[in-house]
Amino acid sequence: MSGCTGTVEGVRILVVDDEADLIEALARGLRREGYAVDTASDGEEALAKASWTPYDLICLDLTMPGIDGLEVCERLRADPPEGVAPRVLMLTARDTLEDRIRGLDVGADDYLVKPFAATELLARVRTNIVLARMRDHHARWRTALIDSLQEALFVCDETGAVTEINTTFADMLGYDSA
C-alpha cells in the first residue's frame, strides 16, 4: 500500500455490481493492493454476505436490478451487522446533484462517479479505511473511558432515549454487564 501509513492486513472489502467485468477488474485491483475482497452481483447477495462477514468497506453500485444500492445502504444503516455499519463507497454512473444527495442521505460515506480512474478509487478506498479505523478506535476508547468511571453514568440521545450505560450503572440496577 504505497503512499499510505498502516497496513491493509485484516481489511475486508465487498464489491457489489451487476456488471461482471467491472466486479472482476475492481476485485483484482484491490487484491493487488493487499485487501481481502469478496464480490456480489446484486443487492440481495450483498446483504446476505454482509450479514455474516464484517466488512470494513462496501463498494456498492447504485443501480442494480432487484434491491438497488440505495436500499442496500439503507438496510445496512438501519440494522448494521454485528452492531457496526461498514463504510459505504457508492459507485455509479448517475451524476446529478440529486443522485449524490440521495446516496449520502441514505448513509453512503462516499460517492464516486463511473467511469473513474483506478488511482482515484484506490485513494478513496484508503481514505475510507483510515476513517473506519479511526471510528473504531474512537468507539473503543469511549467505551473504555465510560466503563472506567467509578460513578454511575448513562448517555441519552437527542430524544432522551438511553443509548449507553457504564458497568457501574448496570451493577447498580442489577443488570449483568456481559
Side-chain angles (χ1 to χ4, degrees), residues 1 19 27-28 31 63 66 75 91 105 111-112 129-130 138 148 163 168-169 178:
M1 188 159 97
E19 296 179 39
R28 187 173 43 253
R31 285 181 185 123
T63 54
R75 288 188 189 184
L91 305 174
D105 279 349
Y111 195 98
L112 185 58
I129 296 301
V130 167
H138 178 265
S148 72
T163 59
T168 304
F169 196 85

Side-chain angles (χ1 to χ4, degrees), residues 33-76:
E33 292 293 311
Y35 297 105
V37 181
D38 292 329
T39 62
S41 59
D42 60 44
E44 191 171 324
E45 183 183 5
L47 288 168
K49 286 186 175 186
S51 72
W52 71 72
T53 303
Y55 291 102
D56 299 285
L57 177 68
I58 297 179
C59 297
L60 181 61
D61 185 23
L62 181 83
T63 54
M64 295 180 290
I67 302 173
D68 69 6
L70 294 172
E71 188 173 341
V72 170
C73 192
E74 281 179 316
R75 288 188 189 184
L76 287 170

Side-chain angles (χ1 to χ4, degrees), residues 142-156:
R142 176 188 166 96
T143 299
L145 176 65
I146 288 174
D147 278 343
S148 72
L149 297 174
Q150 298 300 312
E151 295 81 21
L153 176 79
F154 66 94
V155 179
C156 294

